[in-house]
Amino acid sequence: WFPRNIKEIINGTFKYKSITPRIITQAILNVEGTKVKILNTHLSLHSNSIKKLQLRKIKKMIKSSTIPVVLTGDFNTNIEDKVFVNFINDLKALGLKRVEINGQTFKKDINNLAIDHIFIPISWQIKDYKIITDKYRDHYPVLVSIIIDN
């Protein structure tokens, strides 16, 4: 569920069974002379059907972009989820790869798997990544060092 206006935000809390309305934010940044579209999202936790709709909307946004896209966020799922694996494969077809975050990004996750994910253009190189753990956050930030291939 991505709100189109304030009324949907207010009504969506109950309609989509989420205490917090789910959104996607978009920013266009100039990174080392390259315009990059950054998409950050927080997907539904309780409903796979809603999550599928959200993932479809994200794919549409990526497909329509004329500049490189970086997708990040709390996807509330891990790489063992078939729906998410299909999404990863769909993004590969659109020119994005998942940063292979091998570790726990949510403090309370019992599977020690990432539910927070980052996707970057396939041509970009990943130098390193680090999960930053501390006792004050429920989600751990992930710091990724990349080389942009112009």
Side-chain angles (χ1 to χ4, degrees), residues 89-123:
N89 290 331
D90 290 346
L91 290 188
K92 280 182 191 172
L94 294 175
L96 294 181
K97 64 183 174 185
R98 179 179 166 270
V99 175
E100 298 292 330
I101 300 169
N102 299 310
Q104 182 177 356
T105 61
F106 180 59
K107 187 182 288 188
K108 296 179 184 179
D109 183 54
I110 59 172
N111 298 316
N112 289 333
L113 297 171
I115 66 168
D116 303 279
H117 303 278
I118 301 168
F119 296 86
I120 63 173
I122 288 172
S123 63

Side-chain angles (χ1 to χ4, degrees), residues 64-93:
S64 69
S65 182
T66 58
I67 60 175
V69 173
V70 172
L71 172 64
T72 69
D74 177 358
F75 288 78
N76 274 314
T77 193
N78 62 50
I79 57 171
E80 294 179 349
D81 177 4
K82 185 174 171 40
V83 170
F84 190 60
V85 169
N86 290 337
F87 177 71
I88 292 169
N89 290 331
D90 290 346
L91 290 188
K92 280 182 191 172

Side-chain angles (χ1 to χ4, degrees), residues 4-15:
R4 289 176 291 211
N5 56 49
I6 192 70
K7 187 175 179 183
E8 282 191 354
I9 292 173
I10 295 166
N11 295 336
T13 301
F14 300 103
K15 183 176 179 182

